[in-house]
Amino acid sequence: MEFGRYLIPYSNNQKFIKNCDPDKAAIIFKGTLKPDSMGYLTYNDQQVKQKYSYVYWLQNKHGKILGNPVCLKLRDPKVWMSQQSIEKTMDSLVAKYPKWAQKTTFGKTVNNLPINGLVVGNLKNALLLVGYTHAGESGAELHLATIAQLLKNNKKYFRKAGIIVIPVLNIDSRNLLINGQPDYVRTNANGVDLNRNFPANWEKPDNSYGIKTDDPNSTTYRGPFPASEPETQTLMSVMETYKPTVFFDYHWMGTITGCNLLSYLDDTVMKLELELYGKLFHDGFFSDQKIKPPFRIENSTKSGTTQRYAITVAKIPAFSVEGVKEVPVQERSHSDMASAEDQLEYKQKHYQAILSVLKYLYKNNTYTR
Ligand SMILES: [Zn+2]
């Protein structure tokens, strides 16, 4: 029996496996593989590098390929925190700052995993942070680092302002990536794009990116009916329960996002509030840069998104936090090739962005919501 390996230094190519030729694979093992206690043939490949994807073929001694190849990507656990380490980080923050932070179960995923998060400080005047609405994107790493730093250096703001964080909304699908699934994953375990599932103009299907939201096979499938998904219902109930003052939903890809703010600007009533909070976030984000890019919010009118629901139904100013490919770190992250150093730099930027909004909430605490 022979075992072949093929190395792909890039992972966001959905159908990359079609372009892999088993004849070009390096043979990394010759001999007999013994089944383990579960009956699986196991090979432990020690020669792999982080951030790379690998395709493995098995062939018999006559050169016949057996079964389908196995594809795996090795992600750096320092870049992609596992769910276990996210939970542990939240537990340790609560243990360290019991007066300020509590862990809460907000709901359950399709696969019945608890959707946990933190509530920190004064919840009458809180900003809501949501991560990984789309499994392969961003959230937990940036959010938890920010909260840890705020609790360490800026506790005073939490007397009059707060943060509610759901570090990972789409836990089921993100776990696939943690366990080696090479390609970008967007939808939840039912194949529904959570960011098209909210009851906000849901009835009107959308064709952006040339993908139809009413097609169950598309990656932007809106679901069988509005709010059909438990993750959607969870986020709706968080908005209803806490009535956050402002909401940032983290996107882009590969654990990092930039400061490209998208919102639903057709709501003219909320436009001023959106400009206010967007500018605060922007100014904080770029506070370490001498030359700051101009401030703008991109209008997104897509149906069923978190921010459109927040703005038009829950009456909460809301943004999708995206990146741009023109910035090298964000470009790398978009290909899921960001390093731990890249992420560290962006933890600092998001800390500054969120601190800037938090300071404003602290100063302008009116408890009107
Ligand atoms: Zn997204």
Side-chain angles (χ1 to χ4, degrees):
M1 201 174 289
E2 289 179 343
F3 207 47
R5 178 180 64 194
Y6 192 92
L7 188 142
I8 301 139
Y10 182 78
S11 85
N12 279 333
N13 178 358
Q14 296 272 343
K15 299 285 173 251
F16 72 88
I17 192 161
K18 283 192 176 157
N19 304 320
C20 298
D21 178 359
D23 288 341
K24 288 187 185 145
I27 293 177
I28 54 167
F29 174 83
K30 266 188 182 192
T32 308
L33 287 173
K34 289 207 175 74
D36 65 12
S37 57
M38 302 287 288
Y40 291 109
L41 298 176
T42 306
Y43 179 77
N44 191 344
D45 187 357
Q46 300 285 341
Q47 310 293 315
V48 289
K49 284 193 283 183
Q50 279 170 352
K51 291 192 261 179
Y52 285 79
S53 296
Y54 298 87
V55 182
Y56 296 93
W57 282 272
L58 199 60
Q59 67 178 19
N60 66 15
K61 60 184 174 185
H62 309 295
K64 188 178 182 301
I65 304 271
L66 306 171
N68 291 320
V70 171
C71 321
L72 288 168
K73 175 165 179 164
L74 189 67
R75 290 184 170 83
D76 182 349
K78 289 205 286 295
V79 175
W80 284 90
M81 286 173 88
S82 67
Q83 192 60 33
Q84 202 185 6
S85 113
I86 290 166
E87 302 290 343
K88 245 177 89 179
T89 304
M90 291 197 280
D91 291 337
S92 67
L93 284 171
V94 170
K96 205 167 170 187
Y97 306 100
K99 219 182 108 191
W100 301 95
Q102 279 87 49
K103 195 177 177 186
T104 304
T105 299
F106 296 115
K108 291 265 170 76
T109 67
V110 171
N111 292 340
N112 216 26
L113 293 174
I115 301 173
N116 291 330
L118 292 177
V119 292
V120 189
N122 190 325
L123 302 175
K124 285 183 193 152
N125 186 31
L127 71 94
L128 170 63
L129 297 173
V130 173
Y132 294 99
T133 302
H134 292 139
E137 303 198 349
S138 73
E141 294 84 0
L142 303 173
H143 294 160
L144 295 179
T146 293
I147 289 172
Q149 209 175 334
L150 288 169
L151 282 167
K152 190 164 174 245
N153 303 329
N154 294 289
K155 270 195 273 315
K156 72 163 191 183
Y157 297 120
F158 287 127
R159 268 188 242 127
K160 292 186 185 174
I163 296 182
I164 300 149
V165 60
I166 305 175
V168 183
L169 184 63
N170 189 354
I171 300 171
D172 297 339
S173 293
R174 186 176 179 276
N175 281 347
L176 299 176
L177 301 173
I178 298 297
N179 294 331
Q181 149 90 35
D183 295 331
Y184 166 76
V185 187
R186 182 177 172 95
T187 55
N188 76 347
N190 286 335
V192 174
D193 183 341
L194 298 174
N195 204 30
R196 300 290 181 275
N197 188 236
F198 283 77
N201 204 36
W202 181 94
E203 293 68 23
K204 192 172 167 273
D206 182 295
N207 273 323
S208 35
Y209 319 125
I211 315 169
K212 287 191 175 128
T213 61
D214 54 353
D215 174 1
N217 296 316
S218 98
T219 52
T220 57
Y221 177 46
R222 64 181 173 172
F225 53 89
S228 57
E229 303 309 299
E231 295 87 354
T232 306
Q233 294 159 19
T234 299
L235 183 48
M236 284 166 64
S237 93
V238 167
M239 290 190 217
E240 174 65 32
T241 307
Y242 295 94
K243 300 189 169 40
T245 309
V246 58
F247 163 34
F248 295 93
D249 189 18
Y250 274 48
H251 288 267
W252 201 237
M253 279 180 177
T255 77
I256 287 174
T257 190
C259 188
N260 179 17
L261 299 176
L262 268 63
S263 192
Y264 182 66
L265 299 176
D266 288 7
D267 192 308
T268 48
V269 179
M270 206 168 271
K271 211 171 168 184
L272 282 175
E273 262 189 286
L274 288 168
E275 275 167 9
L276 166 76
Y277 290 115
K279 183 80 165 55
L280 288 163
F281 189 93
H282 172 98
D283 289 349
F285 190 92
F286 293 109
S287 57
D288 62 339
Q289 279 181 221
K290 275 204 186 95
I291 304 157
K292 299 177 198 344
F295 168 65
R296 60 185 281 273
I297 302 171
E298 196 178 313
N299 191 15
S300 165
T301 57
K302 292 188 192 94
S303 303
T305 63
T306 58
Q307 89 257 8
R308 185 156 175 173
Y309 173 80
I311 291 167
T312 61
V313 183
K315 307 292 177 199
I316 299 162
F319 302 90
S320 281
V321 184
E322 293 278 3
V324 288
K325 283 197 180 166
E326 289 70 32
V327 178
V329 173
Q330 295 171 42
E331 211 273 328
R332 273 201 290 286
S333 191
H334 198 267
S335 320
D336 195 13
M337 293 296 277
S339 65
E341 292 72 38
D342 291 337
Q343 202 186 69
L344 204 62
E345 183 191 335
Y346 274 68
K347 283 175 176 170
Q348 205 48 38
K349 286 176 176 292
H350 284 278
Y351 164 71
Q352 293 294 349
I354 291 160
L355 175 62
S356 165
V357 179
L358 197 71
K359 272 183 183 170
Y360 177 87
L361 296 185
Y362 173 83
K363 278 188 210 143
N364 296 276
N365 189 339
T366 51
Y367 294 143
T368 50
R369 283 173 188 276

